[in-house]
Amino acid sequence: WKKKAYNIDFSPAFTDAVNNVYIEWFEPEQFLADYKIIQSIDLHSVEDVNLGGKVAFEITRDGKLHGFVGWFEAYLTDKIKITTSPYEPPTHWICTFFPIATPLEVCKNDEINFHFKNVSVAKDVMWEWGGRVFRNSNILSTFKQKTKDYLKRK
């Protein structure tokens, strides 16, 4: 975003780009930590359709953190599941990527406290996410982002 491409300055779009969510496919080898379940919902009894939660990750290998990946698993029966998980064979559904504004070099055993939520109104949804990265109990970085406006669902 800070370098010109084809002699075009894209830097004015930086804030909008990092405060957006992206639909993309990922391979588990790209992850810097083991996955965690943030929320489980029983669709037979749920009253609030908004998602959210907090989770702590421990980094399992050195690398550059660009953001967080989310997916769902829906059990239709005990034996039938639909999922966007990168740990399962691909389908036409894919993961959601929540970027961080400044990619960060992280090391094995660093810890990340991550939180996210969405707010839905009719067919519109807004996402918020943020957290802190710790190394040896010291705060290495903090981030807090949200989509600028409600994203229109089709």
Side-chain angles (χ1 to χ4, degrees):
W1 294 105
K2 297 176 183 175
K3 294 179 183 178
K4 286 187 176 184
Y6 304 103
N7 206 29
I8 298 172
D9 180 8
F10 288 98
S11 62
F14 173 77
T15 300
D16 287 341
V18 298
N19 287 294
N20 200 352
V21 296
Y22 296 90
I23 306 302
E24 188 60 60
W25 185 254
F26 291 87
E27 296 294 333
E29 300 81 36
Q30 295 174 275
F31 299 150
L32 299 173
D34 295 330
Y35 73 88
K36 301 281 182 118
I37 297 173
I38 294 181
Q39 187 174 20
S40 293
I41 300 170
D42 181 346
L43 295 176
H44 293 288
S45 61
V46 67
E47 293 181 17
D48 183 359
V49 296
N50 294 311
L51 303 173
K54 298 177 182 180
V55 68
F57 294 99
E58 182 174 322
I59 299 298
T60 57
R61 64 178 179 88
D62 296 355
K64 187 173 276 193
L65 178 67
H66 291 270
F68 298 84
V69 177
W71 62 85
F72 74 87
E73 292 183 347
Y75 291 86
L76 305 178
T77 70
D78 290 341
K79 296 180 181 179
I80 300 174
K81 170 177 77 171
I82 56 174
T83 182
T84 60
S85 171
Y87 294 94
E88 300 285 342
T91 68
H92 62 284
W93 294 305
I94 52 180
C95 302
T96 302
F97 177 66
F98 300 87
I100 59 174
T102 304
L104 179 67
E105 292 290 339
V106 293
C107 298
K108 183 176 180 177
N109 299 321
D110 285 353
E111 295 180 12
I112 301 174
N113 291 340
F114 177 75
H115 61 86
F116 89 102
K117 71 176 182 176
N118 82 322
V119 178
S120 297
V121 178
K123 291 187 175 184
D124 299 335
V125 64
M126 183 177 71
W127 292 95
E128 296 180 6
W129 63 99
R132 289 185 174 168
V133 181
F134 296 89
R135 181 170 296 152
N136 301 320
S137 301
N138 297 312
I139 297 173
L140 185 63
S141 180
T142 61
F143 55 94
K144 184 175 182 181
Q145 294 167 235
K146 68 178 182 176
T147 52
K148 186 174 179 182
D149 296 307
Y150 286 101
L151 302 172
K152 299 288 185 188
R153 293 185 196 162
K154 294 182 180 184

